[in-house]
């Protein structure tokens, strides 16, 4: 859950208007969060439900139904050892704006896993093992604004990786194993404002980074010597 706070702090720093999840309204607290206990029973909050925590579900795939969770805008599903995205998320919680899948064992993610969540704009996938497809986009989402892929041991990005995420404004790719970047990898991201490439294995400052318009680019912690932060 701390990764959500840190991520949203950066979002608030970049924007005057917050992007979503608990940054768009009251923070998630015990009073507005539905908790799933180890017996698969829902503990519903006293106030209007805004957040859902399913971390106790563990590796189990089926999320118990409850009419109240349809209201949720934030989902915590971190540190669960998940190997795949539960299929029922978009059906049970169609209004989600922020999803935290950090610190799981996710590898292959269907590109349409979140395409039906038309309000989703913050997705945290750091500390997983996300596989980057060679010939297809990573994800398909018209609404997504912020994506964290930190620490996924990503070695390479393809020209189509972000092709269907044209609305992205914040992208975290730090703490991966990137050695070089394809010249066209960020071309679809015309609205990008913050790009974190720190702590990779980049030996030279890629020219494509210099061509990202109006973006703050973090490159600290790579083998090459040079600027740590590039501002437009």
């Amino acid at each position: 859950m701390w990764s959500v706070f840190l991520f949203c702090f950066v979002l608030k720093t970049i924007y005057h208007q917050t992007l979503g999840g608990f940054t768009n309204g009251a923070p998630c607290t015990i009073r507005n969060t539905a908790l799933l206990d180890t017996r698969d029973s829902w503990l519903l909050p006293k106030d209007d439900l805004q957040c859902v925590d399913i971390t106790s579900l563990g590796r189990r795939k089926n999320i118990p139904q409850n009419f109240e969770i349809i209201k949720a805008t934030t989902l915590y599903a971190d540190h669960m050892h998940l190997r795949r995205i539960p299929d029922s998320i978009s059906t049970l919680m169609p209004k989600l704006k922020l999803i935290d899948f950090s610190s799981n064992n996710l590898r292959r993610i269907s590109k349409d896993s979140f395409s039906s969540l038309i309000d989703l704009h913050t997705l945290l996938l750091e500390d997983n093992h996300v596989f980057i497809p060679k010939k297809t986009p990573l994800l398909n989402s018209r609404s997504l604004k912020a994506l964290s892929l930190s620490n996924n041991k990503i070695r390479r990005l393809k020209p189509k990786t972000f092709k269907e995420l044209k609305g992205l404004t914040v992208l975290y790719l730090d703490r991966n194993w990137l050695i070089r970047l394809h010249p066209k990898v960020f071309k679809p991201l015309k609205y990008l404002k913050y790009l974190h490439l720190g702590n990779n294995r980049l030996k030279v400052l890629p020219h494509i980074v210099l061509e990202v318009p109006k973006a703050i680019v973090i490159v600290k912690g790579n083998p090459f010597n040079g600027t740590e932060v590039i501002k437009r």
Side-chain angles (χ1 to χ4, degrees):
M1 189 178 294
W2 282 107
S3 61
V4 179
F5 283 96
L6 179 60
F7 194 79
C8 291
F9 174 78
V10 173
L11 297 184
K12 282 189 174 183
T13 302
I14 296 172
Y15 305 113
H16 295 292
Q17 295 181 342
T18 54
L19 286 180
F22 66 76
T23 63
N24 188 11
C28 291
T29 68
I30 193 65
R31 296 186 64 87
N32 63 12
T33 300
L35 297 172
L36 183 64
D37 66 18
T38 55
R39 297 168 298 177
D40 287 352
S41 297
W42 286 104
L43 303 177
L44 299 176
K46 295 181 179 180
D47 296 345
D48 289 340
L49 191 151
Q50 182 172 339
C51 311
V52 168
D53 187 332
I54 62 169
T55 53
S56 65
L57 189 67
R59 296 182 181 180
R60 289 168 291 168
K61 300 177 182 179
N62 297 322
I63 302 173
Q65 294 186 9
N66 187 292
F67 180 75
E68 289 295 319
I69 67 173
I70 197 173
K71 305 174 184 177
T73 57
T74 297
L75 172 64
Y76 293 116
D78 54 298
H79 296 84
M80 293 173 59
H81 305 289
L82 287 175
R83 295 182 180 274
R84 57 173 293 181
I85 305 293
D87 297 330
S88 57
I89 284 179
S90 59
T91 303
L92 296 176
M93 293 168 275
K95 300 179 181 180
L96 287 175
K97 297 180 180 180
L98 183 151
I99 300 178
D100 182 3
F101 275 124
S102 61
S103 299
N104 280 293
N105 293 317
L106 297 174
R107 178 168 170 75
R108 293 185 181 271
I109 301 175
S110 170
K111 72 181 183 69
D112 292 317
S113 295
F114 309 103
S115 59
S116 62
L117 295 173
I118 60 175
D119 295 320
L120 181 67
H121 44 52
T122 302
L123 178 61
L124 308 183
L125 293 171
E126 66 260 29
D127 301 319
N128 279 283
H129 307 284
V130 174
F131 174 77
I132 303 297
K134 292 182 179 181
K135 298 182 179 181
T136 59
L138 173 62
L139 293 170
N140 177 18
S141 174
R142 294 183 178 182
S143 60
L144 198 63
K145 302 295 183 185
L147 173 64
S148 176
L149 290 168
S150 305
N151 194 28
N152 274 276
K153 299 181 180 179
I154 297 172
R155 295 177 179 271
R156 60 182 62 86
L157 300 169
K158 298 297 182 179
K160 293 184 179 180
T161 298
F162 304 115
K163 184 179 179 181
E164 301 299 330
L165 296 174
K166 297 179 181 179
L168 275 186
T169 54
V170 175
L171 177 58
Y172 274 70
L173 289 165
D174 57 302
R175 295 181 291 128
N176 281 296
W177 294 357
L178 294 171
I179 297 176
R180 62 180 63 88
L181 295 172
H182 192 282
K184 297 182 180 180
V185 68
F186 300 124
K187 189 174 181 179
L189 307 181
K190 297 181 180 180
Y191 303 102
L192 198 62
K193 295 184 178 180
Y194 184 92
L195 173 61
H196 200 329
L197 290 168
N199 295 295
N200 275 283
R201 300 179 180 183
L202 298 171
K203 295 182 179 180
V204 295
L205 182 64
H207 290 293
I208 185 62
V209 171
L210 298 174
E211 296 173 4
V212 178
K214 299 180 180 179
I216 297 174
V217 183
I218 308 297
V219 293
K220 180 180 180 181
N222 283 283
F224 67 85
N225 294 320
T227 305
E228 296 182 350
V229 180
I230 304 169
K231 296 182 179 180
R232 297 292 183 270

